[in-house]
Amino acid sequence: MSVLKINGSENIKAPIQITSTAPKMETTQTSIEPKKLKVASYCRVSTAEEIQIGSLENQVIHYTNLIHANPDWQFAGVFSDRGKSGTEMSKRPGFNRMLRRAMDGDIDIIICKSISRFARNVVDTLNIIKSLSEKGITVIFEKEGINTSKMSSSILLTVLALFAEEESRSISENIEWSLVRRFASGEICAYPILGYKIGKNKEWIIVKEEALVVKEAYRLFLEGRGFTEIARIFISKGYKKKNGRIDWDGQNIKSLLTNERYAGDALSRKTCTPDFRTHKSIVNNGHKPQYYIEDHHEGIISKEDFQRVQEILAQKEKPKESVIFKPTALSSRVICSSCGSNFHRRKADSWQCSNNIKSDLLCKAKTIKENKIESLLKEGFERRYNISENIIDMTLIKRLIKELNNAEAVREREQNLLRVELERALIEENKAVIENLGIEEAKIKRKAIEEEIAIKTPIWEAFDKDEIFRRASLEKLQTINGYLKALKQILDISFIRAWVIHIKVESPFLFTIQWIDGDETVVGQMRGREYYAKQNRTDSKSKSKGYSGSFK
């Protein structure tokens, strides 16, 4: 691997010697230390690549060591995305976080393995490089040997970026050609559905126990039962879906009743990906050719019963207007302590556990009002920062601003420290293997760190998605003049969300709020038996297993 070393002392001139006739005085000569360059790296691997060539952590450890090994460089972080496409910017939180840090002046140099790791979209690549160059930020692509600070690299970068996009297009076209060929030969590219398993020769084999569930769904529907009613019956009987869960809903039943594969036929290419840049899969409504194979395998349902069900559905089904889901400040952040599912907004003023929506047999959690969530969030925020009814000074405002400004650095520091710990554990384990020593202790230590990283990864990902809330709250804090009234005027859900990772609903009147520094605050009160969690908490504040950074 070629490594470009940038020496920050090259442009420092030797001090000029001045001769004077004045009496000599004792002087202290001080040398000016050259300013170290702040260097970061970006890594990205797909899920398939991780299986083939090792984990993302190995790349992160490599670049961490590379940067630390250069005495003229200051480590500015390693940013990474796992299993993300290089053609779509919006789905790369690590990449976007790095760009924000760079534009804020926290990074001088970015090292990336190759242009294809950086981006496979020519327009994005060139626009990003241009924006970074205008800020005096250099990007180094190791594989291609490109340094964007050199004018000679600009034309080469454009050409190679075109090649990277063309490579992505070529991969997409090769996959398309392969799929068409397989479909045309009668092959089905699909995972097994409930009622079937796939044999060694790719034949579809009926699983009798699962087939009974499918038959019952058709029988109940032909008897006049609706989707939701059938789903509730299946939940009460404990029938399992293909994934082993019992949380049936109406959509699951509809999928059973409209899948031609239960009649022995197979329609291939129900969805397609029209644009290789976005990788967005859509319903194939004539976008690309479809392939219908009759009598592909043994059916669980007779073709006559399947056709009867389709005719009834056609009579009942009314055209529906497409509903666009608009996420709110609380989307995916209100969690049921009983079953672990998310609460969903059902109406403008209420939230309900997603499992409880399907059936109260899955979860007993009750609906909660949005104004209750807001009031308890305010209670938790005021308790956390000791906000009283008295006039406040600017000390608290400065603390809040400092927390939000430092939040990303603290999150990255925690992640990098764990990665360093993992590297040390791997070295110890490898050393034990080489020296033929007992590896059990080193193995346990390594697994413990990997488990901690696995636990915290969802917390880090949730944190990364909240950058928009942190920036909005920072802007609001700039308008505060130090009075409590001014602060309370901006204390709403969207403002407080900048500090919140999750809200765990213990009951409609009792919440546990997890903050970005890992602390938890229990707010509200117990009311009779209205408590969902299996283990009661006795303290009002405890440290969670999640984000463990701190703002000092």
Side-chain angles (χ1 to χ4, degrees):
M1 181 181 295
S2 60
V3 178
L4 176 61
K5 182 176 180 181
I6 299 177
N7 194 323
S9 61
E10 289 177 356
N11 297 323
I12 304 298
K13 296 180 179 179
I16 300 172
Q17 300 295 325
I18 300 176
T19 305
S20 174
T21 57
K24 290 184 178 181
M25 299 178 63
E26 292 185 4
T27 59
T28 304
Q29 188 176 4
T30 58
S31 61
I32 301 174
E33 289 290 334
K35 185 180 178 181
K36 290 188 176 184
L37 294 167
K38 294 168 284 188
V39 182
S41 177
Y42 176 69
C43 308
R44 178 178 65 82
V45 295
S46 66
T47 305
E49 285 174 321
E50 284 201 83
I51 295 170
Q52 293 171 8
I53 63 173
S55 70
L56 177 63
E57 280 67 30
N58 290 335
Q59 287 194 41
V60 171
I61 289 169
H62 163 72
Y63 283 108
T64 300
N65 291 336
L66 177 68
I67 296 170
H68 279 299
N70 193 320
D72 299 322
W73 287 353
Q74 176 184 331
F75 183 74
V78 175
F79 302 84
S80 59
D81 288 306
R82 188 191 305 271
K84 306 293 182 182
S85 167
T87 54
E88 190 170 6
M89 289 274 296
S90 61
K91 295 181 179 180
R92 300 166 69 189
F95 187 78
N96 291 328
R97 193 170 70 254
M98 177 187 68
L99 292 184
R100 289 196 303 271
R101 291 284 302 279
M103 300 307 285
D104 288 341
D106 297 329
I107 298 172
D108 297 317
I109 298 174
I110 297 170
I111 303 175
C112 190
K113 182 179 179 182
S114 68
I115 294 173
S116 62
R117 299 296 88 189
F118 197 75
R120 279 202 171 118
N121 182 311
V122 176
V123 176
D124 281 346
T125 301
L126 298 181
N127 285 340
I128 293 165
I129 295 298
K130 182 182 177 183
S131 299
L132 292 172
S133 297
E134 288 173 352
K135 287 279 188 178
I137 300 161
T138 298
V139 182
I140 298 170
F141 297 106
E142 286 191 307
K143 182 180 177 181
E144 295 84 359
I146 290 179
N147 182 329
T148 60
S149 65
K150 298 178 181 178
M151 290 299 294
S152 60
S153 294
S154 59
I155 297 176
L156 181 59
L157 175 64
T158 304
V159 173
L160 290 174
L162 284 167
F163 274 116
E165 180 170 317
E166 188 57 34
E167 180 187 4
S168 184
R169 185 198 303 274
S170 177
I171 291 170
S172 179
E173 289 176 352
N174 288 340
I175 294 172
E176 171 74 11
W177 179 85
S178 175
L179 286 173
V180 169
R181 189 176 179 184
R182 291 164 72 181
F183 292 148
S185 67
E187 184 179 341
I188 297 177
C189 302
Y191 292 105
I193 56 177
L194 184 73
Y196 289 99
K197 65 180 181 180
I198 297 179
K200 293 181 179 179
N201 298 319
K202 297 185 179 181
E203 71 276 20
W204 284 45
I205 304 169
I206 293 177
V207 180
K208 292 183 179 180
E209 296 80 6
E210 296 178 2
L212 292 174
V213 177
V214 175
K215 288 179 179 179
E216 186 169 345
Y218 277 80
R219 178 179 60 79
L220 291 172
F221 183 78
L222 290 172
E223 289 176 359
R225 309 291 182 97
F227 299 152
T228 303
E229 187 180 0
I230 296 172
R232 290 179 181 274
I233 291 171
F234 282 12
I235 291 170
S236 66
K237 292 185 175 183
Y239 291 166
K240 292 181 180 180
K241 299 190 291 184
K242 195 65 177 178
N243 60 13
R245 292 161 52 178
I246 65 168
D247 55 338
W248 294 88
D249 59 18
Q251 189 59 44
N252 297 146
I253 302 302
K254 183 179 179 181
S255 295
L256 289 179
L257 298 174
T258 56
N259 195 331
E260 78 291 337
R261 291 174 190 176
Y262 289 118
D265 299 341
L267 174 64
S268 293
R269 200 152 225 188
K270 295 178 181 179
T271 61
C272 63
T273 307
D275 192 344
F276 75 94
R277 294 180 184 86
T278 63
H279 295 277
K280 185 178 180 181
S281 179
I282 62 172
V283 176
N284 186 10
N285 291 324
H287 299 88
K288 294 190 177 181
Q290 292 181 309
Y291 302 83
Y292 195 95
I293 306 169
E294 293 185 341
D295 300 321
H296 173 269
H297 52 270
E298 183 184 356
I300 294 174
I301 305 299
S302 68
K303 292 188 186 298
E304 293 74 22
D305 283 349
F306 181 79
Q307 189 58 39
R308 284 174 60 200
V309 168
Q310 306 319 303
E311 290 171 358
I312 295 171
L313 287 173
Q315 294 173 0
K316 288 185 175 182
E317 204 162 59
K318 298 177 182 178
K320 294 182 180 179
E321 294 183 5
S322 58
V323 179
I324 300 175
F325 172 71
K326 295 182 179 179
T328 71
L330 295 175
S331 296
S332 302
R333 296 309 171 93
V334 184
I335 300 172
C336 178
S337 66
S338 177
C339 67
S341 299
N342 286 330
F343 269 70
H344 290 173
R345 199 181 197 191
R346 297 292 286 170
K347 299 177 182 177
D349 63 342
S350 63
W351 291 69
Q352 188 176 357
C353 170
S354 59
N355 269 337
N356 182 257
I357 293 171
K358 297 173 183 177
S359 171
D360 56 7
L361 295 172
L362 294 173
C363 184
K364 301 292 184 182
K366 294 185 178 179
T367 302
I368 52 176
K369 295 292 184 181
E370 188 162 307
N371 58 6
K372 188 65 178 178
I373 299 175
E374 184 167 12
S375 66
L376 290 180
L377 262 181
K378 286 181 180 179
E379 179 186 328
F381 191 82
E382 290 173 359
R383 187 191 304 174
R384 173 178 166 88
Y385 293 104
N386 297 318
I387 300 174
S388 64
E389 294 298 325
N390 301 320
I391 294 176
I392 60 172
D393 56 26
M394 289 301 293
T395 304
L396 174 60
I397 305 303
K398 289 178 180 177
R399 178 188 171 189
L400 295 175
I401 292 173
K402 183 179 179 182
E403 283 190 357
L404 294 184
N405 280 330
N406 293 343
E408 285 193 7
V410 173
R411 169 248 188 273
E412 288 165 13
R413 180 176 178 272
E414 180 188 47
Q415 188 176 34
N416 288 329
L417 285 174
L418 277 173
R419 284 168 170 169
V420 171
E421 285 184 32
L422 180 59
E423 179 190 9
R424 289 172 180 166
L426 287 168
I427 291 172
E428 288 179 14
E429 189 174 353
N430 291 337
K431 184 179 178 182
V433 172
I434 293 170
E435 296 178 358
N436 201 22
L437 301 173
I439 66 167
E440 196 58 36
E441 185 177 343
K443 189 175 181 181
I444 291 171
K445 182 179 179 181
R446 187 252 307 164
K447 284 189 174 182
I449 298 171
E450 288 177 339
E451 287 174 5
E452 188 174 1
I453 290 174
I455 290 170
K456 291 185 177 180
T457 295
I459 306 295
W460 293 331
E461 291 175 350
F463 174 89
D464 291 342
K465 293 175 183 177
D466 291 346
E467 189 268 340
I468 186 173
F469 293 106
R470 290 192 292 275
R471 285 190 178 267
S473 296
L474 276 170
E475 290 177 6
K476 290 181 180 180
L477 285 170
Q478 306 298 332
T479 66
I480 298 295
N481 56 15
Y483 287 91
L484 180 67
K485 185 178 179 181
L487 178 60
K488 289 208 167 186
Q489 283 177 345
I490 63 172
L491 276 186
D492 57 15
I493 289 175
S494 61
F495 176 79
I496 299 173
R497 264 288 283 108
W499 286 266
V500 175
I501 291 293
H502 289 125
I503 304 166
K504 188 179 292 184
V505 179
E506 314 288 0
S507 83
F509 315 103
L510 188 72
F511 297 169
T512 299
I513 305 169
Q514 183 182 11
W515 308 100
I516 56 175
D517 62 356
D519 282 348
E520 291 182 350
T521 302
V522 178
V523 291
Q525 56 185 334
M526 295 278 292
R527 292 195 181 181
R529 296 183 179 179
E530 295 285 359
Y531 192 52
Y532 306 143
K534 295 178 180 178
Q535 295 181 353
N536 293 350
R537 300 176 192 267
T538 55
D539 56 341
S540 61
K541 194 173 184 180
S542 62
K543 203 72 174 177
S544 72
K545 290 184 178 180
Y547 193 76
S548 61
S550 61
F551 302 98
K552 300 295 184 183

